[in-house]
Amino acid sequence: MNIETISWQNNRIRIIDQTKLPGRLQYLYINNLRELWRAIKELKVRGAPALGAAAGLGIYLAVKDSRAKTFGEFSAQLDLAAKYLASSRPTARNLFWGIERVCRVAGKNRNASLPRIKELIFQEALRIIEEDKLSCRRIGELGSALINDRDTVLTVCNAGILATIDYGTALGVIYRAVEKGKRIKVYASETRPLLQGARLTSWELKNKKIPVTLICDNMAATLMQQGKVAKVITGADRIAANGDSANKIGTYSLAVLCAYHNIPFYIAAPASTFDLGKRSGRDIIIEERDPREITGLFFRQPIAPRGVEVYNPAFDVTPHQLITAIITDKGIIRKPCRKNIKRVLK
Amino acid sequence: MNIETISWQNNRIRIIDQTKLPGRLQYLYINNLRELWRAIKELKVRGAPALGAAAGLGIYLAVKDSRAKTFGEFSAQLDLAAKYLASSRPTARNLFWGIERVCRVAGKNRNASLPRIKELIFQEALRIIEEDKLSCRRIGELGSALINDRDTVLTVCNAGILATIDYGTALGVIYRAVEKGKRIKVYASETRPLLQGARLTSWELKNKKIPVTLICDNMAATLMQQGKVAKVITGADRIAANGDSANKIGTYSLAVLCAYHNIPFYIAAPASTFDLGKRSGRDIIIEERDPREITGLFFRQPIAPRGVEVYNPAFDVTPHQLITAIITDKGIIRKPCRKNIKRVLK
């Protein structure tokens, strides 16, 4: 099955509506910036690299029909679109990176005609998509060297095709290892509250015919205790200059459990996920989401008493000390993290 | 609101159907052993101490109308009932303890008339209930000394009123601390897959007007990282002679996280939960349950691809090294565990 997470089709953005998976593979057309904002907020499209691509196309969508007469006017519209889109979700670096990247093209070409600037923005958005494909392949190639034949790898959330344009980051590492002939089994941690591991990762891996076993998040420690986990690999949403990595809630827990059980813990993420402006994880804003994600199981039947207080952080920060290595498209980053991040990303 | 987890009413067992909570507080009458077996299997009644009480009443229910003519015949019926009931769930020690206890009464009084033996079994079953109430109070009293004013305590699953006859074990410690005027906040970990934390513990605590915040299981580490958890207290389903404790899946994970964050980790359980015949946790049988508990959210809409492989252990074993102390009705057991278990339980 060919899965296209996000693409430009008939002058609009087409995404897979990921809230419909695993029940249905349903594509959704995004006609304007407001629709994209909502699709991001509601996780119809999600995954840091995919958000970077969505951001580029989204900004183009916002200004492609602009009737601005001057660059100043156009630039103001661009700023407004950028700010609006950036308000959809706070944590994933790639979203902001994508927005900044296409806006920068406009700034650099301020003397060009407005139709030409629009065209350049569009090309830059498409370039983000093409580059993401390449960087995932590169992450897969580099990371697969860390995986042994017959390894059982545990992952959380979805850092696969559905989180990127193609191939994935953490799952890309697994896909490449399998292509190289390594026999890999995967534990997919379901990833409460929104179950991206159950709904997306196990679906992706089943499509790829890679053996996958679904567990609840609270079962990972038991598998490690039984010696059944060789490695943990996850994606990341934002990585600070010292290597502290924000990723889906539950990632930090896995990193601590790995340290206790002497299991390598890897992060796989493209360079666009790094935010060198953040000295450490303490500077990363963690999104808190609707309590009903926890109390209602997709807002349907209540599973907790009415009015119960809820804490619902969407991400957590794993300190660099707990990360064995960060697999990026520019190279594998080991300790000391801060120094090697600078060197590898230069 | 007065909650009566399990009682003898109108010549049958009455339980709260816990699968209906938090939506409805609905009582269910159990008319025969088969109904009890199913209620236990389906977790309509659950919690190690409550299962001990259910076992006693269940055996009485099975034999009260026995038409046996001889003790041998009666004893054979008793054995059959005991074996059948014991096959409902394998892990909680109290279930077996309850069965053994009422059966022992029969054995000891083999020379009495059969109506008299039935009466003695009934009295023993009621005694289990009364003793459980007292032992929970005692656990609460002893454990509450370990809790400080303004502590925030994290717990998993439900070790409260609904897991016992009254008051609870882990929650009993909290209830008593609050009665003593300590200001306690609780984090209830939702406890996938069957969400006893979300459905039962947060409901119980809200009834008692104790501040409770519901989290997903994968969020506990983040709270600890933020310094928001002073103590973790859980119940137990079976405790080996060396202190290794089987409890709801996810407990071991919390114990490792506590060790990493230097947070005291307490188990609260009555003497009836100890199984000195098991040298260590390795000898404890861990129940594996229906995969659909994970893939279907209460068997309703699918949240994972059809046919995905699932691992669904209902319990895990926390090694004694990770347990700060075990709070029992006979006293608080600290390290060295094996020695002190013998001494305290003598």
Side-chain angles (χ1 to χ4, degrees):
Chain A
M1 191 187 309
N2 195 30
I3 304 167
E4 219 174 10
T5 310
I6 180 163
S7 60
W8 185 257
Q9 306 240 344
N10 303 324
N11 231 14
R12 23 185 209 169
I13 302 172
R14 194 189 74 172
I15 62 167
I16 293 174
D17 182 350
Q18 300 194 26
T19 61
K20 297 287 193 292
L21 288 171
R24 264 177 301 159
L25 177 63
Q26 185 176 309
Y27 288 95
L28 181 73
Y29 285 93
I30 305 275
N31 299 290
N32 55 55
L33 197 62
R34 188 180 301 271
E35 285 176 17
L36 181 60
W37 189 94
R38 197 177 310 139
I40 291 174
K41 185 79 178 175
E42 293 172 358
L43 310 191
K44 291 180 192 302
V45 58
R46 32 64 54 201
L51 291 183
L57 291 176
I59 295 294
Y60 175 63
L61 195 64
V63 299
K64 75 181 172 60
D65 299 325
S66 158
R67 294 179 186 176
K69 294 278 183 296
T70 65
F71 180 78
E73 210 183 321
F74 182 80
S75 178
Q77 289 171 352
L78 206 59
D79 277 1
L80 209 63
K83 281 209 184 76
Y84 175 64
L85 190 54
S87 71
S88 57
R89 296 189 73 196
T91 304
R93 169 61 191 150
N94 312 60
L95 175 71
F96 301 87
W97 168 88
I99 293 170
E100 288 160 18
R101 205 171 134 167
V102 293
C103 288
R104 206 177 306 124
V105 162
K108 269 197 211 162
N109 294 279
R110 54 191 310 135
N111 295 323
S113 70
L114 291 181
R116 174 72 186 143
I117 293 178
K118 288 180 188 176
E119 180 58 27
L120 289 170
I121 286 176
F122 182 54
Q123 282 167 17
E124 188 71 7
L126 295 181
R127 203 171 295 126
I128 290 176
I129 288 177
E130 290 313 306
E131 286 177 15
D132 188 69
K133 288 183 189 172
L134 291 173
S135 81
C136 283
R137 294 280 163 174
R138 186 79 190 131
I139 288 169
E141 186 60 37
L142 290 169
S144 63
L146 301 172
I147 308 297
N148 296 324
D149 187 27
R150 297 193 183 279
D151 267 357
T152 299
V153 178
L154 189 149
T155 189
V156 67
C157 197
N158 172 269
I161 298 170
L162 292 167
T164 59
I165 296 303
D166 185 27
Y167 213 63
T169 53
L171 294 192
V173 168
I174 290 164
Y175 294 148
R176 187 65 190 128
V178 170
E179 284 165 13
K180 285 178 171 175
K182 296 178 186 180
R183 285 153 290 184
I184 310 298
K185 287 186 181 171
V186 180
Y187 282 112
S189 199
E190 64 171 8
T191 318
R192 280 283 287 151
L194 294 179
L195 300 162
Q196 292 91 337
R199 296 189 300 108
L200 309 179
T201 292
S202 67
W203 181 80
E204 244 195 77
L205 290 167
K206 269 183 75 75
N207 275 345
K208 290 262 192 185
K209 311 231 184 301
I210 294 173
V212 56
T213 300
L214 177 63
I215 59 164
C216 296
D217 303 315
N218 55 10
M219 295 168 186
T222 298
L223 291 173
M224 294 181 186
Q225 186 186 34
Q226 296 168 356
K228 288 184 182 162
V229 177
K231 270 122 198 171
V232 171
I233 311 181
T234 79
D237 286 82
R238 191 182 291 247
I239 304 177
N242 70 342
D244 290 358
S245 296
N247 191 43
K248 178 55 56 200
I249 188 74
T251 304
Y252 169 63
S253 186
L254 289 174
V256 171
L257 294 171
C258 278
Y260 183 82
H261 295 92
N262 277 310
I263 295 168
F265 174 84
Y266 297 111
I267 296 260
S272 51
T273 302
F274 286 79
D275 182 358
L276 303 185
K278 303 271 183 276
R279 274 191 61 77
S280 80
R282 250 166 304 180
D283 299 335
I284 298 176
I285 296 168
I286 299 297
E287 177 183 15
E288 287 193 33
R289 294 182 57 88
D290 193 322
R292 287 175 299 169
E293 291 180 351
I294 294 182
T295 57
L297 296 176
F298 292 95
F299 306 97
R300 284 173 217 181
Q301 86 269 26
I303 55 151
R306 194 186 296 268
V308 69
E309 198 169 314
V310 167
Y311 175 56
N312 184 16
F315 302 93
D316 58 26
V317 173
T318 299
H320 59 91
Q321 296 91 338
L322 293 174
I323 302 171
T324 310
I326 306 177
I327 306 158
T328 80
D329 48 328
K330 311 288 186 193
I332 292 177
I333 297 167
R334 294 188 177 272
K335 293 163 189 171
C337 244
R338 189 185 292 275
K339 203 181 94 186
N340 285 329
I341 284 174
K342 264 196 198 153
R343 184 179 56 75
V344 169
L345 297 188
K346 58 182 169 312
Chain B
M1 192 187 309
N2 196 30
I3 303 168
E4 219 174 10
T5 309
I6 179 162
S7 60
W8 185 257
Q9 304 240 345
N10 303 323
N11 231 14
R12 27 186 205 167
I13 303 171
R14 195 189 73 172
I15 61 166
I16 293 173
D17 181 351
Q18 300 195 26
T19 60
K20 296 287 193 292
L21 288 171
R24 266 178 300 159
L25 177 62
Q26 185 177 309
Y27 288 95
L28 181 72
Y29 285 91
I30 305 276
N31 300 291
N32 55 54
L33 198 62
R34 188 180 300 271
E35 286 177 18
L36 181 61
W37 189 95
R38 197 176 311 138
I40 291 174
K41 185 78 178 175
E42 294 173 357
L43 310 192
K44 291 181 192 299
V45 58
R46 30 66 54 200
L51 291 182
L57 291 176
I59 294 295
Y60 175 64
L61 195 62
V63 299
K64 75 183 172 61
D65 298 325
S66 158
R67 294 179 188 178
K69 296 274 184 297
T70 64
F71 180 79
E73 209 184 323
F74 182 80
S75 180
Q77 290 172 350
L78 205 59
D79 277 1
L80 209 64
K83 282 208 182 76
Y84 175 65
L85 191 54
S87 72
S88 57
R89 297 189 72 196
T91 305
R93 169 61 192 150
N94 313 59
L95 176 70
F96 301 86
W97 168 88
I99 294 170
E100 289 160 17
R101 206 171 134 167
V102 292
C103 288
R104 206 177 307 126
V105 162
K108 270 197 212 163
N109 295 279
R110 54 191 314 135
N111 295 323
S113 71
L114 291 180
R116 174 71 185 145
I117 294 177
K118 288 180 187 175
E119 179 60 26
L120 289 170
I121 286 176
F122 182 54
Q123 281 168 15
E124 188 71 7
L126 295 182
R127 204 172 295 126
I128 290 175
I129 288 177
E130 290 313 307
E131 287 178 14
D132 188 69
K133 288 182 188 171
L134 291 173
S135 82
C136 283
R137 294 279 164 175
R138 186 79 189 131
I139 288 169
E141 186 61 37
L142 290 170
S144 63
L146 301 172
I147 308 296
N148 296 324
D149 188 27
R150 297 194 183 278
D151 267 356
T152 299
V153 177
L154 189 149
T155 189
V156 67
C157 197
N158 174 269
I161 298 169
L162 292 167
T164 59
I165 296 302
D166 185 28
Y167 213 63
T169 52
L171 294 192
V173 168
I174 290 164
Y175 294 148
R176 186 66 190 128
V178 169
E179 284 165 11
K180 285 177 170 174
K182 297 178 186 181
R183 285 154 291 184
I184 310 297
K185 288 185 181 172
V186 180
Y187 282 111
S189 201
E190 64 172 9
T191 318
R192 280 284 285 152
L194 294 178
L195 300 162
Q196 293 90 337
R199 296 189 300 108
L200 308 179
T201 293
S202 67
W203 181 80
E204 243 195 78
L205 290 167
K206 269 183 76 74
N207 275 345
K208 290 263 192 184
K209 309 228 182 309
I210 294 174
V212 57
T213 299
L214 177 63
I215 59 164
C216 296
D217 303 315
N218 55 9
M219 295 168 187
T222 298
L223 291 173
M224 294 182 186
Q225 187 186 35
Q226 296 168 357
K228 287 184 181 161
V229 177
K231 270 122 198 173
V232 171
I233 311 181
T234 79
D237 286 82
R238 191 182 290 247
I239 304 177
N242 70 343
D244 290 357
S245 297
N247 190 43
K248 178 55 56 200
I249 188 74
T251 303
Y252 169 62
S253 187
L254 289 173
V256 171
L257 294 171
C258 278
Y260 183 81
H261 295 91
N262 276 310
I263 295 169
F265 174 83
Y266 297 111
I267 296 261
S272 51
T273 302
F274 286 78
D275 182 358
L276 302 185
K278 303 270 183 277
R279 274 190 62 77
S280 80
R282 249 165 305 180
D283 300 334
I284 298 176
I285 296 169
I286 298 298
E287 177 183 13
E288 288 192 33
R289 293 183 57 87
D290 193 322
R292 287 175 299 169
E293 291 180 351
I294 295 182
T295 56
L297 296 177
F298 292 94
F299 305 96
R300 283 174 218 180
Q301 85 268 27
I303 56 151
R306 194 186 297 265
V308 70
E309 198 168 314
V310 167
Y311 175 56
N312 184 15
F315 302 94
D316 58 25
V317 172
T318 299
H320 59 89
Q321 296 91 338
L322 293 174
I323 302 170
T324 309
I326 306 177
I327 306 157
T328 80
D329 47 328
K330 311 287 185 194
I332 293 177
I333 297 166
R334 295 188 177 272
K335 293 163 190 171
C337 244
R338 191 184 291 275
K339 203 180 96 186
N340 285 329
I341 284 174
K342 266 197 198 152
R343 184 180 55 76
V344 169
L345 297 188
K346 59 181 168 314

